[in-house]
Every structure is written in C-alpha cells, then in structure tokens.
mmCIF file of all heavy atoms in Angstrom:
data_model
loop_
_atom_site.group_PDB
_atom_site.id
_atom_site.type_symbol
_atom_site.label_atom_id
_atom_site.label_comp_id
_atom_site.label_asym_id
_atom_site.label_seq_id
_atom_site.Cartn_x
_atom_site.Cartn_y
_atom_site.Cartn_z
ATOM 1 N N PRO A 1 0.828 -1.232 -0.019
ATOM 2 C CA PRO A 1 0.014 -0.005 0.016
ATOM 3 C C PRO A 1 0.877 1.246 0.034
ATOM 4 O O PRO A 1 0.444 2.318 -0.475
ATOM 5 C CB PRO A 1 -0.817 -0.083 1.270
ATOM 6 C CG PRO A 1 -0.706 -1.509 1.780
ATOM 7 C CD PRO A 1 0.463 -2.062 1.093
ATOM 8 N N ALA A 2 2.061 1.230 0.548
ATOM 9 C CA ALA A 2 2.883 2.364 0.570
ATOM 10 C C ALA A 2 3.308 2.756 -0.860
ATOM 11 O O ALA A 2 3.447 3.960 -1.128
ATOM 12 C CB ALA A 2 4.119 2.080 1.432
ATOM 13 N N ILE A 3 3.501 1.727 -1.674
ATOM 14 C CA ILE A 3 3.877 1.988 -3.040
ATOM 15 C C ILE A 3 2.733 2.765 -3.761
ATOM 16 O O ILE A 3 2.971 3.687 -4.516
ATOM 17 C CB ILE A 3 4.271 0.731 -3.769
ATOM 18 C CG1 ILE A 3 5.591 0.143 -3.186
ATOM 19 C CG2 ILE A 3 4.502 0.931 -5.293
ATOM 20 C CD1 ILE A 3 5.962 -1.222 -3.699
ATOM 21 N N GLY A 4 1.518 2.289 -3.544
ATOM 22 C CA GLY A 4 0.415 3.032 -4.167
ATOM 23 C C GLY A 4 0.274 4.442 -3.676
ATOM 24 O O GLY A 4 0.042 5.331 -4.466
ATOM 25 N N GLN A 5 0.559 4.634 -2.427
ATOM 26 C CA GLN A 5 0.508 6.035 -1.882
ATOM 27 C C GLN A 5 1.619 6.848 -2.484
ATOM 28 O O GLN A 5 1.379 8.066 -2.797
ATOM 29 C CB GLN A 5 0.624 5.965 -0.368
ATOM 30 C CG GLN A 5 0.452 7.320 0.305
ATOM 31 C CD GLN A 5 0.578 7.218 1.827
ATOM 32 O OE1 GLN A 5 0.880 6.147 2.364
ATOM 33 N NE2 GLN A 5 0.269 8.355 2.490
ATOM 34 N N ILE A 6 2.779 6.266 -2.660
ATOM 35 C CA ILE A 6 3.879 7.040 -3.247
ATOM 36 C C ILE A 6 3.582 7.378 -4.673
ATOM 37 O O ILE A 6 3.743 8.509 -5.191
ATOM 38 C CB ILE A 6 5.193 6.171 -3.165
ATOM 39 C CG1 ILE A 6 5.680 6.110 -1.714
ATOM 40 C CG2 ILE A 6 6.247 6.736 -4.079
ATOM 41 C CD1 ILE A 6 6.805 5.174 -1.518
ATOM 42 N N LYS A 7 2.905 6.429 -5.421
ATOM 43 C CA LYS A 7 2.542 6.736 -6.818
ATOM 44 C C LYS A 7 1.490 7.864 -6.906
ATOM 45 O O LYS A 7 1.602 8.725 -7.730
ATOM 46 C CB LYS A 7 2.005 5.463 -7.477
ATOM 47 C CG LYS A 7 3.066 4.483 -7.836
ATOM 48 C CD LYS A 7 2.492 3.285 -8.545
ATOM 49 C CE LYS A 7 3.550 2.264 -8.912
ATOM 50 N NZ LYS A 7 2.998 1.098 -9.599
ATOM 51 N N GLU A 8 0.556 7.892 -5.940
ATOM 52 C CA GLU A 8 -0.443 8.929 -5.882
ATOM 53 C C GLU A 8 0.238 10.282 -5.635
ATOM 54 O O GLU A 8 -0.154 11.282 -6.194
ATOM 55 C CB GLU A 8 -1.500 8.618 -4.865
ATOM 56 C CG GLU A 8 -2.400 7.491 -5.256
ATOM 57 C CD GLU A 8 -3.408 7.203 -4.116
ATOM 58 O OE1 GLU A 8 -3.593 7.998 -3.219
ATOM 59 O OE2 GLU A 8 -4.006 6.054 -4.195
ATOM 60 N N THR A 9 1.168 10.251 -4.674
ATOM 61 C CA THR A 9 1.838 11.482 -4.318
ATOM 62 C C THR A 9 2.691 12.007 -5.493
ATOM 63 O O THR A 9 2.655 13.193 -5.739
ATOM 64 C CB THR A 9 2.786 11.236 -3.093
ATOM 65 O OG1 THR A 9 2.028 10.699 -2.012
ATOM 66 C CG2 THR A 9 3.432 12.502 -2.620
ATOM 67 N N LEU A 10 3.328 11.084 -6.196
ATOM 68 C CA LEU A 10 4.142 11.500 -7.321
ATOM 69 C C LEU A 10 3.221 12.081 -8.423
ATOM 70 O O LEU A 10 3.525 13.080 -9.103
ATOM 71 C CB LEU A 10 4.900 10.329 -7.856
ATOM 72 C CG LEU A 10 6.137 9.897 -7.078
ATOM 73 C CD1 LEU A 10 6.797 8.649 -7.674
ATOM 74 C CD2 LEU A 10 7.123 11.050 -7.004
ATOM 75 N N SER A 11 2.094 11.481 -8.612
ATOM 76 C CA SER A 11 1.108 11.951 -9.619
ATOM 77 C C SER A 11 0.647 13.363 -9.298
ATOM 78 O O SER A 11 0.589 14.187 -10.154
ATOM 79 C CB SER A 11 -0.089 10.992 -9.734
ATOM 80 O OG SER A 11 -1.030 11.483 -10.675
ATOM 81 N N SER A 12 0.250 13.568 -8.015
ATOM 82 C CA SER A 12 -0.147 14.923 -7.596
ATOM 83 C C SER A 12 0.953 15.929 -7.698
ATOM 84 O O SER A 12 0.768 17.092 -8.105
ATOM 85 C CB SER A 12 -0.784 14.904 -6.228
ATOM 86 O OG SER A 12 0.281 14.593 -5.260
ATOM 87 N N LEU A 13 2.210 15.519 -7.411
ATOM 88 C CA LEU A 13 3.306 16.409 -7.544
ATOM 89 C C LEU A 13 3.559 16.773 -9.011
ATOM 90 O O LEU A 13 3.870 17.964 -9.339
ATOM 91 C CB LEU A 13 4.563 15.776 -6.910
ATOM 92 C CG LEU A 13 4.663 15.751 -5.391
ATOM 93 C CD1 LEU A 13 5.876 15.015 -4.973
ATOM 94 C CD2 LEU A 13 4.675 17.176 -4.811
ATOM 95 N N GLN A 14 3.430 15.750 -9.867
ATOM 96 C CA GLN A 14 3.578 16.009 -11.293
ATOM 97 C C GLN A 14 2.538 17.001 -11.823
ATOM 98 O O GLN A 14 2.820 17.920 -12.623
ATOM 99 C CB GLN A 14 3.512 14.711 -12.107
ATOM 100 C CG GLN A 14 3.778 14.887 -13.604
ATOM 101 C CD GLN A 14 5.152 15.335 -13.859
ATOM 102 O OE1 GLN A 14 6.139 14.971 -13.216
ATOM 103 N NE2 GLN A 14 5.339 16.208 -14.875
ATOM 104 N N GLN A 15 1.307 16.862 -11.373
ATOM 105 C CA GLN A 15 0.250 17.833 -11.681
ATOM 106 C C GLN A 15 0.554 19.197 -11.250
ATOM 107 O O GLN A 15 0.355 20.219 -11.931
ATOM 108 C CB GLN A 15 -1.055 17.372 -11.195
ATOM 109 C CG GLN A 15 -1.661 16.080 -11.926
ATOM 110 C CD GLN A 15 -2.922 15.555 -11.277
ATOM 111 O OE1 GLN A 15 -3.298 15.998 -10.217
ATOM 112 N NE2 GLN A 15 -3.494 14.600 -11.910
ATOM 113 N N SER A 16 1.112 19.299 -9.985
ATOM 114 C CA SER A 16 1.457 20.552 -9.431
ATOM 115 C C SER A 16 2.589 21.202 -10.247
ATOM 116 O O SER A 16 2.547 22.396 -10.520
ATOM 117 C CB SER A 16 1.897 20.454 -8.002
ATOM 118 O OG SER A 16 0.821 19.947 -7.179
ATOM 119 N N VAL A 17 3.543 20.484 -10.636
ATOM 120 C CA VAL A 17 4.686 20.971 -11.415
ATOM 121 C C VAL A 17 4.126 21.464 -12.738
ATOM 122 O O VAL A 17 4.552 22.540 -13.260
ATOM 123 C CB VAL A 17 5.756 19.954 -11.553
ATOM 124 C CG1 VAL A 17 6.785 20.261 -12.658
ATOM 125 C CG2 VAL A 17 6.455 19.672 -10.295
ATOM 126 N N ASN A 18 3.197 20.659 -13.385
ATOM 127 C CA ASN A 18 2.669 21.131 -14.669
ATOM 128 C C ASN A 18 1.931 22.425 -14.503
ATOM 129 O O ASN A 18 2.039 23.350 -15.370
ATOM 130 C CB ASN A 18 1.799 20.055 -15.252
ATOM 131 C CG ASN A 18 2.577 18.838 -15.675
ATOM 132 O OD1 ASN A 18 3.773 18.937 -15.897
ATOM 133 N ND2 ASN A 18 1.922 17.656 -15.864
ATOM 134 N N ALA A 19 1.155 22.572 -13.382
ATOM 135 C CA ALA A 19 0.437 23.827 -13.188
ATOM 136 C C ALA A 19 1.341 25.002 -12.979
ATOM 137 O O ALA A 19 1.118 26.071 -13.498
ATOM 138 C CB ALA A 19 -0.516 23.628 -12.019
ATOM 139 N N ILE A 20 2.410 24.753 -12.237
ATOM 140 C CA ILE A 20 3.405 25.809 -11.975
ATOM 141 C C ILE A 20 4.050 26.266 -13.316
ATOM 142 O O ILE A 20 4.248 27.461 -13.540
ATOM 143 C CB ILE A 20 4.415 25.346 -10.907
ATOM 144 C CG1 ILE A 20 3.725 25.304 -9.519
ATOM 145 C CG2 ILE A 20 5.645 26.312 -10.864
ATOM 146 C CD1 ILE A 20 4.639 24.668 -8.472
ATOM 147 N N GLN A 21 4.401 25.268 -14.092
ATOM 148 C CA GLN A 21 5.018 25.614 -15.426
ATOM 149 C C GLN A 21 4.069 26.424 -16.261
ATOM 150 O O GLN A 21 4.456 27.385 -16.940
ATOM 151 C CB GLN A 21 5.495 24.361 -16.152
ATOM 152 C CG GLN A 21 6.705 23.736 -15.481
ATOM 153 C CD GLN A 21 7.043 22.384 -16.129
ATOM 154 O OE1 GLN A 21 6.294 21.782 -16.818
ATOM 155 N NE2 GLN A 21 8.311 21.920 -15.899
ATOM 156 N N SER A 22 2.793 26.079 -16.258
ATOM 157 C CA SER A 22 1.842 26.771 -17.008
ATOM 158 C C SER A 22 1.686 28.209 -16.484
ATOM 159 O O SER A 22 1.650 29.161 -17.281
ATOM 160 C CB SER A 22 0.461 26.052 -16.973
ATOM 161 O OG SER A 22 -0.560 26.856 -17.532
ATOM 162 N N ASP A 23 1.642 28.370 -15.191
ATOM 163 C CA ASP A 23 1.570 29.699 -14.596
ATOM 164 C C ASP A 23 2.823 30.545 -14.940
ATOM 165 O O ASP A 23 2.686 31.714 -15.172
ATOM 166 C CB ASP A 23 1.424 29.628 -13.049
ATOM 167 C CG ASP A 23 0.011 29.120 -12.636
ATOM 168 O OD1 ASP A 23 -0.902 29.112 -13.525
ATOM 169 O OD2 ASP A 23 -0.097 28.670 -11.467
ATOM 170 N N GLN A 24 3.978 29.886 -14.919
ATOM 171 C CA GLN A 24 5.164 30.598 -15.297
ATOM 172 C C GLN A 24 5.108 31.117 -16.697
ATOM 173 O O GLN A 24 5.589 32.244 -17.004
ATOM 174 C CB GLN A 24 6.406 29.723 -15.126
ATOM 175 C CG GLN A 24 6.867 29.509 -13.739
ATOM 176 C CD GLN A 24 8.064 28.578 -13.611
ATOM 177 O OE1 GLN A 24 8.284 27.710 -14.465
ATOM 178 N NE2 GLN A 24 8.810 28.715 -12.501
ATOM 179 N N GLN A 25 4.618 30.301 -17.624
ATOM 180 C CA GLN A 25 4.498 30.704 -19.026
ATOM 181 C C GLN A 25 3.540 31.922 -19.133
ATOM 182 O O GLN A 25 3.781 32.900 -19.874
ATOM 183 C CB GLN A 25 4.069 29.571 -19.903
ATOM 184 C CG GLN A 25 5.073 28.530 -20.119
ATOM 185 C CD GLN A 25 4.596 27.280 -20.784
ATOM 186 O OE1 GLN A 25 3.388 27.127 -21.036
ATOM 187 N NE2 GLN A 25 5.456 26.318 -21.198
ATOM 188 N N LYS A 26 2.404 31.854 -18.425
ATOM 189 C CA LYS A 26 1.454 33.001 -18.455
ATOM 190 C C LYS A 26 2.083 34.239 -17.905
ATOM 191 O O LYS A 26 1.913 35.347 -18.446
ATOM 192 C CB LYS A 26 0.222 32.637 -17.689
ATOM 193 C CG LYS A 26 -0.693 31.537 -18.317
ATOM 194 C CD LYS A 26 -1.856 31.197 -17.393
ATOM 195 C CE LYS A 26 -2.668 30.086 -17.963
ATOM 196 N NZ LYS A 26 -3.762 29.676 -17.050
ATOM 197 N N LEU A 27 2.817 34.118 -16.726
ATOM 198 C CA LEU A 27 3.479 35.264 -16.176
ATOM 199 C C LEU A 27 4.527 35.878 -17.070
ATOM 200 O O LEU A 27 4.737 37.025 -17.173
ATOM 201 C CB LEU A 27 4.076 34.936 -14.799
ATOM 202 C CG LEU A 27 3.006 34.642 -13.651
ATOM 203 C CD1 LEU A 27 3.756 34.196 -12.429
ATOM 204 C CD2 LEU A 27 2.270 35.930 -13.382
ATOM 205 N N ALA A 28 5.238 35.002 -17.771
ATOM 206 C CA ALA A 28 6.327 35.440 -18.740
ATOM 207 C C ALA A 28 5.683 36.257 -19.838
ATOM 208 O O ALA A 28 6.159 37.250 -20.270
ATOM 209 C CB ALA A 28 7.099 34.268 -19.232
ATOM 210 N N ALA A 29 4.488 35.759 -20.325
ATOM 211 C CA ALA A 29 3.765 36.450 -21.411
ATOM 212 C C ALA A 29 3.313 37.776 -20.909
ATOM 213 O O ALA A 29 3.382 38.898 -21.607
ATOM 214 C CB ALA A 29 2.630 35.680 -21.917
ATOM 215 N N GLN A 30 2.757 37.841 -19.657
ATOM 216 C CA GLN A 30 2.282 39.144 -19.093
ATOM 217 C C GLN A 30 3.437 40.110 -18.900
ATOM 218 O O GLN A 30 3.316 41.343 -19.150
ATOM 219 C CB GLN A 30 1.589 38.881 -17.766
ATOM 220 C CG GLN A 30 0.200 38.227 -17.904
ATOM 221 C CD GLN A 30 -0.396 37.896 -16.577
ATOM 222 O OE1 GLN A 30 0.212 38.036 -15.514
ATOM 223 N NE2 GLN A 30 -1.705 37.477 -16.617
ATOM 224 N N LEU A 31 4.596 39.612 -18.409
ATOM 225 C CA LEU A 31 5.769 40.434 -18.221
ATOM 226 C C LEU A 31 6.282 41.001 -19.532
ATOM 227 O O LEU A 31 6.605 42.165 -19.605
ATOM 228 C CB LEU A 31 6.945 39.644 -17.519
ATOM 229 C CG LEU A 31 8.168 40.335 -17.251
ATOM 230 C CD1 LEU A 31 7.972 41.520 -16.292
ATOM 231 C CD2 LEU A 31 9.191 39.388 -16.706
ATOM 232 N N ASN A 32 6.176 40.216 -20.587
ATOM 233 C CA ASN A 32 6.627 40.661 -21.873
ATOM 234 C C ASN A 32 5.692 41.822 -22.358
ATOM 235 O O ASN A 32 6.179 42.799 -22.865
ATOM 236 C CB ASN A 32 6.581 39.509 -22.851
ATOM 237 C CG ASN A 32 7.243 39.836 -24.215
ATOM 238 O OD1 ASN A 32 8.006 40.756 -24.293
ATOM 239 N ND2 ASN A 32 6.875 39.133 -25.233
ATOM 240 N N ASP A 33 4.347 41.617 -22.112
ATOM 241 C CA ASP A 33 3.387 42.667 -22.448
ATOM 242 C C ASP A 33 3.637 43.988 -21.750
ATOM 243 O O ASP A 33 3.631 45.072 -22.245
ATOM 244 C CB ASP A 33 1.925 42.233 -22.248
ATOM 245 C CG ASP A 33 1.500 41.143 -23.199
ATOM 246 O OD1 ASP A 33 2.194 40.961 -24.213
ATOM 247 O OD2 ASP A 33 0.492 40.490 -22.910
ATOM 248 N N VAL A 34 3.934 43.826 -20.421
ATOM 249 C CA VAL A 34 4.256 44.976 -19.545
ATOM 250 C C VAL A 34 5.486 45.682 -20.054
ATOM 251 O O VAL A 34 5.528 46.965 -20.162
ATOM 252 C CB VAL A 34 4.346 44.630 -18.109
ATOM 253 C CG1 VAL A 34 4.910 45.703 -17.262
ATOM 254 C CG2 VAL A 34 2.953 44.198 -17.572
ATOM 255 N N GLN A 35 6.561 44.960 -20.395
ATOM 256 C CA GLN A 35 7.728 45.536 -20.896
ATOM 257 C C GLN A 35 7.518 46.283 -22.193
ATOM 258 O O GLN A 35 8.089 47.329 -22.448
ATOM 259 C CB GLN A 35 8.819 44.464 -21.089
ATOM 260 C CG GLN A 35 9.426 43.951 -19.712
ATOM 261 C CD GLN A 35 10.402 42.776 -19.866
ATOM 262 O OE1 GLN A 35 10.353 42.083 -20.905
ATOM 263 N NE2 GLN A 35 11.166 42.544 -18.909
ATOM 264 N N GLN A 36 6.724 45.712 -23.127
ATOM 265 C CA GLN A 36 6.432 46.432 -24.370
ATOM 266 C C GLN A 36 5.660 47.660 -24.168
ATOM 267 O O GLN A 36 5.949 48.678 -24.756
ATOM 268 C CB GLN A 36 5.658 45.413 -25.286
ATOM 269 C CG GLN A 36 6.485 44.302 -25.872
ATOM 270 C CD GLN A 36 5.692 43.359 -26.742
ATOM 271 O OE1 GLN A 36 4.479 43.422 -26.743
ATOM 272 N NE2 GLN A 36 6.327 42.423 -27.437
ATOM 273 N N THR A 37 4.683 47.608 -23.236
ATOM 274 C CA THR A 37 3.906 48.826 -22.962
ATOM 275 C C THR A 37 4.834 49.871 -22.339
ATOM 276 O O THR A 37 4.722 51.075 -22.723
ATOM 277 C CB THR A 37 2.766 48.425 -21.982
ATOM 278 O OG1 THR A 37 2.002 47.447 -22.507
ATOM 279 C CG2 THR A 37 1.890 49.676 -21.617
ATOM 280 N N ALA A 38 5.702 49.535 -21.397
ATOM 281 C CA ALA A 38 6.590 50.497 -20.789
ATOM 282 C C ALA A 38 7.545 51.048 -21.819
ATOM 283 O O ALA A 38 7.798 52.249 -21.805
ATOM 284 C CB ALA A 38 7.387 49.779 -19.657
ATOM 285 N N SER A 39 7.980 50.243 -22.753
ATOM 286 C CA SER A 39 8.871 50.724 -23.810
ATOM 287 C C SER A 39 8.188 51.711 -24.728
ATOM 288 O O SER A 39 8.686 52.753 -25.068
ATOM 289 C CB SER A 39 9.417 49.530 -24.637
ATOM 290 O OG SER A 39 10.240 49.956 -25.660
ATOM 291 N N ALA A 40 6.911 51.439 -25.047
ATOM 292 C CA ALA A 40 6.107 52.309 -25.885
ATOM 293 C C ALA A 40 5.883 53.660 -25.136
ATOM 294 O O ALA A 40 6.001 54.731 -25.729
ATOM 295 C CB ALA A 40 4.759 51.692 -26.260
#
C-alpha cells in the first residue's frame, strides 16, 4: 500500500509541477506585455 500512496503522491506532484510551469508561461507572457507597454 505504501507504493500506491507514493505513486499517488508523485502523480499529484507532477500535476502541481505542470500547473506551476503553465503559470510561469502565463506570467512570462504578461511580463513581456508590460515591458512592451513600458517601452512604448
């Protein structure tokens, strides 16, 4: 049962990492927009 729990934990961690990477991409796009606006 510990192996199953470890697999579930790894799965949830992988989902969290994917969500964080998605958020980072969104923030990078927003930062790029802000920089372009400031430059203009």
Side-chain angles (χ1 to χ4, degrees):
I3 292 174
Q5 185 179 7
I6 290 171
K7 286 183 179 181
E8 288 177 17
T9 305
L10 286 175
S11 175
S12 67
L13 286 175
Q14 183 64 36
Q15 289 174 353
S16 298
V17 167
N18 290 340
I20 289 171
Q21 287 174 343
S22 175
D23 289 344
Q24 282 179 336
Q25 290 173 351
K26 289 177 185 175
L27 288 174
Q30 288 176 352
L31 180 62
N32 191 22
D33 291 343
V34 168
Q35 286 175 340
Q36 287 177 351
T37 303
S39 177

